[in-house]
Amino acid sequence: MSFCNNNQPQVVKLSQRATKKSIIQYFDINSSAYIFIFLITAYYIATPLFLYISAKPDPYFQKLTIMAILSCVSVLLGFHSRFSDSFIGKIRGEIRLNMRLIVQLCIVIFVVFGLVVLYTAKNIPLLNAFRGASESDLSLQRSDLSKLREGWEISLVYINAMLTTSIAPFIIAYLFLNRTKSRWVFTCIYILYCQASLEKALFIKGMLPLIYLNIIGKIGNWKIAVLIVIACGSLIGLNTFLARGGLGPPMVGTDVSQPALDFPSPSQPRSPELSPGQSQQINPTTKLSFLSTIEWKKFFHSTYTAKSTAEYTIWRLWAVPIFTASDSLKVLDTTFNAKQLFGATSAPIAALVLRTARVPFEAIVHGYQWGNGTASLNGRSNTVFFIEAFVNFGWLGVFCFSFFVGQSLRWLCTSDEPALQALWPVYTYNLFSSGLIGTLLSGGFIIVIGLAVFIKRPVSLPARE
């Protein structure tokens, strides 16, 4: 009896450890491709298929479903393919870098860059939000700060995209993994910069590596990850409140249907079916009962009118990405006569390879959805990466792009630098909402993948409390 009692706590403890390990493995980088495929399946296979069968027999939803299935299979094939392993094994370690010096240099560059951006900005959205600026004014100011630059300041747009998409998240992950004293200081600087621009996406990208590292137990545990998620949710809520002019005077006829990250012009009607005077009005007291009485055919359309804040949030997070993908396919057929663009949607490829002007495909889709049918000046309708692949290179492009995504996730898996591995949630987040070409070039992930391929355990910062 005493033998059983003495060993019972140990058995329970071992069981808890086994359970913990079994849970962690579902979120580890080795499961990155499966998590990504699950999200694509939920959004771009299950939902469009349901709509096509039950509510909205749109051929573009059917095409989207088939395309997503091909993409998922290709990602899985790329993730498990070993044809590049021997080559990677030979070249890995050929380049040796002092990562401590590189991280410190990147910190200085980010701080200086942030000061230059804020100094050259005509308006700082966060300050004007506290001064009571309207939602439409803040929307234009955010666009002016991060996108609509002129002259030499155009370079700031590309540098900002690279620093905030991959470099800054890598720095945060690296500093926390090595427990440097400056980790909290730099994280606060990054958060302040994101809040100054009222950009929710930048904030999410910076915090995803910390959430991941805590979930798998590299720098904490899942409880800390939950606290980070709660803190992130609170700051994003504050960001949304300020960005929608929460401290300003109440606006009549504000178009709340515009995507939060797209910065459409307030002078544009959101659809040819609505006049500028018509707009959605949100009733925050409406309950979530709409889920049982929802008109699915209208819900997955840009002209849908939300009846509550919660309903609008669900529509924005769930419906908008799906019908934006199908609308992109429709625009390709109607505007470009179903002809592939062969990389013309990317500025570097259009300028250096095709020797032609860039096709602003995302702006054209945005104008189709929210404007008068012409390319939007300020707005962009980004969508999942395999849509960009199809628009440019057809079905072969979907396979090749998806296969490369699977391979690149495999290269991150085999890297022995945990700070690089911690970027896989940011990488897949970008691919879920934008193209592969932009993610690699503008987002800077070509550098991240290059480090994962060529670098073997760079010189790390010494552990300091």
Side-chain angles (χ1 to χ4, degrees):
M1 179 68 71
S2 61
F3 177 80
C4 294
N5 289 336
N6 290 337
N7 286 275
Q8 185 175 0
Q10 183 179 1
V11 173
V12 173
K13 189 173 182 179
L14 291 174
S15 176
Q16 291 174 345
R17 287 180 180 178
T19 303
K20 183 179 179 181
K21 288 182 179 180
S22 64
I23 294 175
I24 288 177
Q25 70 181 3
Y26 291 111
F27 297 95
D28 189 71
I29 188 172
N30 294 315
S31 302
S32 57
Y34 298 101
I35 295 175
F36 188 44
I37 290 172
F38 171 78
L39 293 174
I40 292 178
T41 301
Y43 264 77
Y44 298 107
I45 296 179
T47 303
L49 186 61
F50 164 76
L51 293 172
Y52 180 78
I53 295 175
S54 64
K56 192 176 182 181
D58 188 334
Y60 291 101
F61 278 142
Q62 183 185 36
K63 191 174 184 178
L64 176 62
T65 301
I66 298 173
M67 199 175 299
I69 293 174
L70 173 61
S71 179
C72 289
V73 173
S74 304
V75 169
L76 196 61
L77 287 175
F79 188 67
H80 286 285
S81 178
R82 299 181 178 182
F83 84 95
S84 65
D85 288 0
S86 59
F87 174 73
I88 298 298
K90 292 179 181 178
I91 64 175
R92 180 166 286 163
E94 292 294 327
I95 301 177
R96 294 190 177 275
L97 299 175
N98 187 330
M99 193 57 68
R100 175 181 179 178
L101 180 61
I102 292 177
V103 169
Q104 291 175 344
L105 180 61
C106 289
I107 291 175
V108 173
I109 292 175
F110 182 86
V111 173
V112 173
F113 172 80
L115 293 175
V116 171
V117 168
L118 297 178
Y119 178 77
T120 57
K122 298 177 182 178
N123 295 283
I124 298 178
L126 180 63
L127 297 181
N128 289 331
F130 283 110
R131 292 170 183 164
S134 65
E135 180 180 0
S136 59
D137 289 339
L138 292 174
S139 177
L140 290 176
Q141 289 171 16
R142 285 184 296 167
S143 185
D144 289 336
L145 182 67
S146 60
K147 292 186 177 182
L148 302 181
R149 296 280 186 151
E150 298 178 351
W152 68 271
E153 295 182 10
I154 295 178
S155 61
L156 299 178
V157 177
Y158 297 99
I159 298 174
N160 177 74
M162 182 175 295
L163 287 176
T164 56
T165 301
S166 59
I167 305 301
F170 170 75
I171 294 173
I172 292 174
Y174 192 86
L175 294 179
F176 271 87
L177 282 167
N178 291 276
R179 298 183 179 276
T180 62
K181 295 180 180 179
S182 60
R183 62 188 186 275
W184 294 109
V185 176
F186 181 79
T187 302
C188 290
I189 291 174
Y190 180 82
I191 292 174
L192 286 175
Y193 178 76
C194 296
Q195 289 294 96
S197 60
L198 296 180
E199 287 278 10
K200 293 179 284 295
L202 302 185
F203 184 76
I204 294 173
K205 293 173 184 177
M207 296 299 105
L208 276 176
L210 288 185
I211 296 173
Y212 166 72
L213 290 173
N214 278 282
I215 288 177
I216 65 173
K218 286 285 187 179
I219 61 175
N221 52 53
W222 66 270
K223 295 179 181 179
I224 298 178
V226 171
L227 292 177
I228 295 177
V229 170
I230 294 174
C232 289
S234 301
L235 286 176
I236 291 174
L238 175 62
N239 185 301
T240 303
F241 173 77
L242 294 174
R244 297 183 65 181
L247 298 180
M251 297 183 64
V252 179
T254 300
D255 183 6
V256 299
S257 67
Q258 297 167 344
L261 303 177
D262 286 340
F263 315 117
S265 170
S267 63
Q268 295 177 338
R270 95 181 219 281
S271 171
E273 300 179 26
L274 292 179
S275 65
Q278 286 181 293
S279 59
Q280 299 186 73
Q281 299 296 323
I282 284 183
N283 178 12
T285 61
T286 304
K287 297 182 179 179
L288 288 176
S289 58
F290 81 96
L291 289 174
S292 59
T293 59
I294 189 172
E295 296 183 62
W296 296 106
K297 187 174 182 179
K298 295 181 179 179
F299 187 73
F300 287 86
H301 197 274
S302 60
T303 58
Y304 182 75
T305 302
K307 301 179 181 62
S308 69
T309 302
E311 183 178 342
Y312 166 75
T313 302
I314 295 175
W315 173 79
R316 180 67 186 90
L317 294 177
W318 183 24
V320 171
I322 297 172
F323 71 69
T324 297
S326 65
D327 286 345
S328 298
L329 299 176
K330 190 178 300 182
V331 168
L332 179 66
D333 284 352
T334 57
T335 305
F336 299 95
N337 298 320
K339 294 181 180 179
Q340 269 61 49
L341 304 180
F342 298 102
T345 60
S346 169
I349 295 179
L352 301 177
V353 179
L354 302 178
R355 303 288 184 177
T356 185
R358 176 182 178 271
V359 176
F361 187 79
E362 295 86 356
I364 295 173
V365 175
H366 189 277
Y368 171 82
Q369 291 180 308
W370 317 103
N372 54 11
T374 60
S376 174
L377 296 177
N378 302 326
R380 301 292 183 270
S381 289
N382 300 318
T383 186
V384 65
F385 78 99
F386 58 77
I387 296 296
E388 176 201 54
F390 182 82
V391 167
N392 284 286
F393 304 106
W395 292 101
L396 180 61
V398 175
F399 171 78
C400 293
F401 276 44
S402 302
F403 188 87
F404 176 84
V405 169
Q407 274 284 282
S408 57
L409 288 173
R410 183 180 182 86
W411 298 336
L412 288 175
C413 282
T414 59
S415 172
D416 57 1
E417 175 53 62
L420 291 175
Q421 293 184 336
L423 293 183
W424 79 260
V426 185
Y427 183 45
T428 53
Y429 171 83
N430 276 274
L431 294 175
F432 197 79
S433 57
S434 60
L436 175 63
I437 299 175
T439 298
L440 292 176
L441 301 181
S442 300
F445 270 95
I446 189 70
I447 300 176
V448 173
I449 294 174
L451 290 174
V453 169
F454 289 101
I455 304 301
K456 184 175 182 179
R457 199 56 181 173
V459 179
S460 301
L461 286 165
R464 289 179 290 179
E465 293 294 341

